[in-house]
Amino acid sequence: MLLIGAPGAGKGTQSARLQRDYGFAALSSGDLLRRHVAQNTPVGRQAADFMSRGELVPDSLMIRLLVTELASMQEEQDSAGAVPNGAGWLLDGFPRNRVQAESLDKTLAAGESPLNLVVSLNVPDEVILERILSRWVHAPSGRVYNLGYNPPLRSGLDDVTGEPLTQRPDDNADVFRARMRAFRETTEPLLEHYERQGVLVKLHGETSDVIYDQLRQSPPP
Ligand code: AMP
């Protein structure tokens, strides 16, 4: 399954709920990159400037990174035996353009793990900007909080670990505009690609609760 949505549309939130409720193994390309940046790895050093400008990281780097991660996620699932409820894996934030989508198609065609659901998350733009500005994250896990409607139990601290929350450096109005532009120009057109494959479901709502209710009722098309 893939989650596709503008920055701030709630991909991370929906992913966390699906993992909690259905046992999906999930991979967020943004979280993965942020871990590389935090650990100052060669990948992190190559990606950091693109991310701070709100631009897409080059495809060659992204594809290598994601295909490797996806393969190891698949291996873990295989060695763990059957996944509860028949759930599979979930990608959030990848693919972001046509080259990445075609590379994912090829990778999946070579394996035994077909894509059977692509969910497009649609939230009004004015709601999204407000969300981005009041979003705090627990960087090591990717857990997301919103000071308005989903605050942490203790101010400034992650509910699970008690560690401090931070704001993403790209969650500011200027970088947000660049991220939104990248989404509209290169990611949104991918929806047609998945519509043609007959796997696309489009969900709309102003809150993650409303969207999650629809998501739970969305069988593969
Ligand atoms: P996200 O957490 O999904 O909003 O991603 C944060 C940033 O990481 C993006 O603005 C991009 O700079 C980079 N990024 C994440 N996923 C990708 C991808 N699939 N391709 C290129 N860049 C990506």
Side-chain angles (χ1 to χ4, degrees):
M1 169 174 176
L2 306 182
L3 285 178
I4 297 184
K11 300 185 293 291
T13 301
Q14 301 300 338
S15 167
R17 293 180 183 196
L18 290 166
Q19 290 174 65
R20 179 193 67 196
D21 296 344
Y22 298 96
F24 273 96
L27 181 59
S28 152
S29 56
D31 285 351
L32 184 61
L33 286 169
R34 280 183 286 278
R35 279 199 293 276
H36 276 278
V37 172
Q39 291 163 9
N40 196 23
T41 65
V43 166
R45 286 196 291 277
Q46 287 179 67
D49 284 347
F50 294 98
M51 295 172 75
S52 65
R53 292 194 298 262
E55 294 169 10
L56 294 187
V57 170
D59 290 333
S60 53
L61 180 72
M62 274 326 289
I63 290 169
R64 233 182 313 128
L65 192 62
L66 261 289
V67 167
T68 314
E69 283 291 324
L70 200 55
S72 73
M73 199 158 87
Q74 191 68 49
E75 262 169 39
E76 269 173 39
Q77 284 204 339
D78 290 348
S79 64
V83 180
N85 305 325
W89 50 261
L90 160 68
L91 280 185
D92 130 26
F94 185 94
R96 283 275 229 281
N97 62 24
R98 180 162 294 278
V99 174
Q100 294 181 9
E102 285 169 0
S103 150
L104 182 64
D105 285 348
K106 269 194 217 124
T107 306
L108 296 180
E112 290 173 6
S113 191
L115 194 57
N116 44 25
L117 186 60
V118 176
V119 175
S120 148
L121 303 176
N122 296 280
V123 177
D125 283 3
E126 62 277 12
V127 176
I128 280 188
L129 182 58
E130 187 282 323
R131 261 188 204 180
I132 289 265
L133 298 178
S134 53
R135 168 158 76 176
W136 287 73
V137 294
H138 176 243
S141 67
R143 267 185 293 281
V144 183
Y145 300 87
N146 181 288
L147 296 192
Y149 54 84
N150 175 31
L153 296 172
R154 284 178 297 154
S155 174
L157 301 177
D158 177 45
D159 289 354
V160 177
T161 62
E163 291 169 350
L165 302 177
T166 52
Q167 280 202 290
R168 283 173 43 172
D170 58 350
D171 273 353
N172 66 64
D174 282 344
V175 180
F176 173 75
R177 269 190 283 279
R179 292 162 63 204
M180 200 57 155
R181 196 165 46 241
F183 175 73
R184 295 269 181 255
E185 287 173 4
T186 65
T187 308
E188 211 166 35
L190 281 184
L191 297 179
E192 264 174 41
H193 177 79
Y194 293 115
E195 197 146 38
R196 276 197 300 275
Q197 291 187 9
V199 289
L200 182 67
V201 168
K202 292 182 182 169
L203 305 180
H204 299 260
E206 291 202 3
T207 69
S208 295
D209 287 348
V210 167
I211 291 193
Y212 191 59
D213 280 346
Q214 298 170 34
L215 184 50
R216 272 196 301 207
Q217 290 158 26
S218 295

